[in-house]
Amino acid sequence: MHMYGTSQVNNQGHLEIGGVDTVELTERFGTPLYVYDVELIRERARGFKRTFEELGIPAQVAYASKAFSSIAMIQLAEQEGLSLDVVSAGELYTAIKAGFPTERIHFHGNNKSIEELHMALDNQIGCIVVDNFSELTLLEEICSNREEKVHILLRVTPGIEAHTHDYILTGQEDSKFGFDLINGQAENALNQAIKSNWLEVLGLHCHIGSQIFQTTGFLLAAQKIIGKLKEWHKSLGFQPKVLNLGGGFGIRYTEEDDPLPASQYVEEIVREVQKQIAHSDLEMPEIWIEPGRSLVGDAGLTLYKVGSEKEVPDVRKYLAVDGGMSDNIRPALYEAKYDAVLANRPLDPVEETVAIAGKCCESGDMLIWDLPLPKAGRGDILAVFCTGAYGYSMSNNYNRIPRPAVVFVENGEARLVIKRETFDDLIRQDLAFHEAVSFNKE
Ligand code: LLP
């Protein structure tokens, strides 16, 4: 049996997280249930921040709230002194409602609407990460009409695509995000932006991928970007205050995953930036990063109740749980792998390998294809580890399944931070046929 995060077995022989018995959690809050170990999130946040502090580098660690956004989660990010990356009006709204200091919010996205840009300006957020020429022109126009200045970063694509175990040098990148660094778009964008009276360019941003286990991609990105910054310092007199190298730091979903400690990503990135800057007239910029998964991923697990089973002779045995792709779409969408144990008897010896199916009407709705387990059946509780990132945030109501509740545990205490959806929540926006507003042709 493998354990993840801070999970352990208590003296009842049950899986425990944050000092709370998971079986008791299911009795109190039902299943499926997302459970987050708050202390672990704090530890991860502090780890990133501490490394920058030890290196004496001014930095912002911005939590990429797309990984898991909720009022309580944003408040936890605030308690830990993180900044915040939002990518939509909905994420921004959540942050504002959570009382997050707006000057520490960075607004991303490749297609921010006019309304979203106004919302960002109305709330005086820290900066807007401008993604393309059409947004650059639009934002300049909006700011000029409002007679308001705004801080921006320009998102560039440095021609590096990083994946878990490798990276690809793509030259000109075929991506919907950002200004291409190689073909001159980024330089043109910078030229346009620094001429504006309303846009103050703090620096550049890039994000090379997600669930990355090596530092090479980050270091190459830093090299390429700083190479260009040196040129632009000479040609345009541009001195960046900020270099934002995005998120993407990998986590361990299964025993096969072997990520680096957060401190190593940060240290190597900082050293590379220092090295590149040292051979230039540039001053050292602040370094910003945007971890999502690595802050919340392994701090979360999902508890399910086992229901039906089906044996396909000589092929496999399916055990179905009371959730699935509605609360965790990652296996179906990315073939993502997870590990799990029986929360009510994690120490029982393994007897067979089973496939964990969801309850949605779709053959692809599988959570784990090959999981060694004790013989399990209806009523057992399955804990799937490392579901804290992109689980709740990508959840959906397929088959009109209500979204699960979310519980935070810390020091033996559990607090409900997102209520389970009710059936009435599911039909809240529905209008009955006879009361539906009809729009007649004029
Ligand atoms: N910054 C930017 C600009 C991003 O696009 C992302 C993620 C992050 C930061 C945070 O990346 P992280 O540290 O969480 O890897 N739904 C996918 C992941 C999509 C990531 C999109 N961008 C998944 O479930 O694996």
Side-chain angles (χ1 to χ4, degrees):
M1 185 193 51
H2 307 125
M3 284 296 190
Y4 295 81
T6 53
S7 310
Q8 56 184 38
V9 180
N10 65 14
N11 42 27
Q12 256 86 57
H14 295 164
L15 184 72
E16 170 184 290
I17 173 170
V20 180
D21 186 308
T22 54
V23 177
E24 280 175 26
L25 284 174
T26 64
E27 285 159 5
R28 176 81 177 77
F29 300 105
T31 52
L33 184 69
Y34 298 100
V35 186
Y36 282 88
D37 181 344
V38 172
E39 193 53 40
L40 190 56
I41 299 176
R42 295 191 195 282
E43 216 174 275
R44 298 274 185 258
R46 289 171 193 175
F48 277 114
K49 292 196 63 169
R50 196 186 314 120
T51 312
F52 281 112
E53 278 157 22
E54 283 168 5
L55 294 164
I57 297 293
Q60 283 193 35
V61 177
Y63 169 51
S65 67
K66 73 201 80 178
F68 170 52
S69 171
S70 85
I71 300 274
M73 179 59 223
I74 305 293
Q75 290 171 338
L76 177 56
E78 151 63 0
Q79 287 169 20
E80 291 305 321
L82 300 172
S83 298
L84 202 67
D85 146 8
V86 300
V87 296
S88 69
E91 285 183 3
L92 178 55
Y93 183 80
T94 310
I96 291 166
K97 286 287 172 184
F100 198 89
T102 56
E103 68 277 9
R104 296 213 308 268
I105 300 180
H106 315 152
F107 197 171
H108 276 282
N110 69 313
N111 185 24
K112 302 177 197 78
S113 67
I114 294 172
E115 294 75 20
E116 284 177 318
L117 291 172
H118 278 291
M119 185 175 172
L121 294 168
D122 289 346
N123 288 287
Q124 292 160 337
I125 71 160
C127 76
I128 294 183
V129 185
V130 176
D131 197 274
N132 51 63
F133 285 108
S134 101
E135 184 184 320
L136 188 59
T137 307
L138 181 64
L139 183 62
E140 146 94 320
E141 198 180 298
I142 291 174
C143 288
S144 139
N145 287 339
R146 294 172 61 121
E147 302 191 2
E148 273 174 45
K149 290 191 176 189
V150 67
H151 287 148
I152 65 167
L153 296 180
L154 295 175
R155 175 165 181 170
V156 301
T157 44
I160 291 147
E161 234 182 76
H163 304 276
T164 300
H165 287 294
D166 55 5
Y167 62 89
I168 305 168
L169 294 174
T170 56
Q172 186 172 323
E173 213 172 290
D174 182 10
S175 161
K176 72 171 182 176
F177 295 110
F179 299 98
D180 198 286
L181 200 63
I182 315 292
N183 71 7
Q185 282 181 348
E187 180 170 357
N188 292 342
L190 180 64
N191 227 326
Q192 184 176 330
I194 55 180
K195 283 191 189 127
S196 164
N197 292 326
W198 306 107
L199 309 179
E200 190 180 329
V201 189
L202 293 181
L204 301 187
H205 168 279
C206 81
H207 173 78
I208 55 171
S210 207
Q211 182 63 354
I212 302 170
F213 285 174
Q214 283 157 348
T215 53
T216 327
F218 293 104
L219 307 188
L220 280 170
Q223 277 170 25
K224 294 213 171 193
I225 292 176
I226 296 168
K228 288 290 177 189
L229 284 169
K230 288 181 197 167
E231 285 176 26
W232 300 339
H233 188 251
K234 288 207 172 72
S235 58
L236 306 168
F238 178 67
Q239 164 63 52
K241 294 195 181 76
V242 172
L243 182 56
N244 184 332
L245 290 165
F249 316 109
I251 66 163
R252 191 176 69 122
Y253 283 98
T254 69
E255 282 295 290
E256 271 132 56
D257 293 338
D258 197 12
L260 303 169
S263 56
Q264 192 174 339
Y265 292 104
V266 171
E267 257 177 57
E268 289 195 31
I269 287 172
V270 167
R271 303 253 184 255
E272 186 63 33
V273 174
Q274 283 174 323
K275 189 171 112 194
Q276 298 296 323
I277 296 282
H279 303 292
S280 75
D281 302 330
L282 291 168
E283 283 162 32
M284 184 72 186
E286 280 189 24
I287 308 225
W288 295 5
I289 55 167
E290 295 168 333
R293 193 191 313 270
S294 53
L295 284 173
V296 295
D298 65 351
L301 57 77
T302 311
L303 300 171
Y304 300 94
K305 206 158 261 171
V306 176
S308 305
E309 53 191 89
K310 177 190 168 177
E311 184 90 41
V312 182
D314 305 324
V315 180
R316 71 178 85 244
K317 177 170 158 187
Y318 288 90
L319 276 187
V321 295
D322 54 356
M325 64 189 288
S326 41
D327 58 80
N328 185 2
I329 202 169
R330 299 191 69 258
L333 202 55
Y334 315 118
E335 296 182 12
K337 303 280 184 290
Y338 287 88
D339 204 351
V341 295
L342 288 183
N344 50 329
R345 43 195 183 93
L347 295 177
D348 279 14
V350 166
E351 288 164 287
E352 57 183 3
T353 295
V354 295
I356 305 297
K359 65 178 274 133
C360 294
C361 289
E362 182 137 329
S363 305
D365 175 27
M366 296 294 298
L367 288 175
I368 303 174
W369 279 100
D370 294 296
L371 179 69
L373 271 193
K375 280 243 186 316
R378 192 171 290 280
D380 275 316
I381 294 161
L382 189 79
V384 177
F385 293 110
C386 301
T387 56
Y390 307 105
Y392 190 88
S393 68
M394 295 178 84
S395 66
N396 58 79
N397 291 125
Y398 184 46
N399 295 161
R400 288 235 143 170
I401 294 174
R403 282 185 177 76
V406 182
V407 167
F408 276 8
V409 292
E410 189 174 22
N411 298 327
E413 257 177 33
R415 63 182 85 212
L416 180 66
V417 295
I418 304 183
K419 292 193 259 181
R420 182 176 303 281
E421 279 181 340
T422 62
F423 296 131
D424 280 332
D425 289 329
L426 294 176
I427 59 166
R428 178 143 296 139
Q429 307 299 334
D430 293 12
L431 299 170
F433 197 86
H434 68 274
E435 65 184 29
V437 185
S438 68
F439 297 91
N440 297 322
K441 273 201 241 166
E442 291 297 309

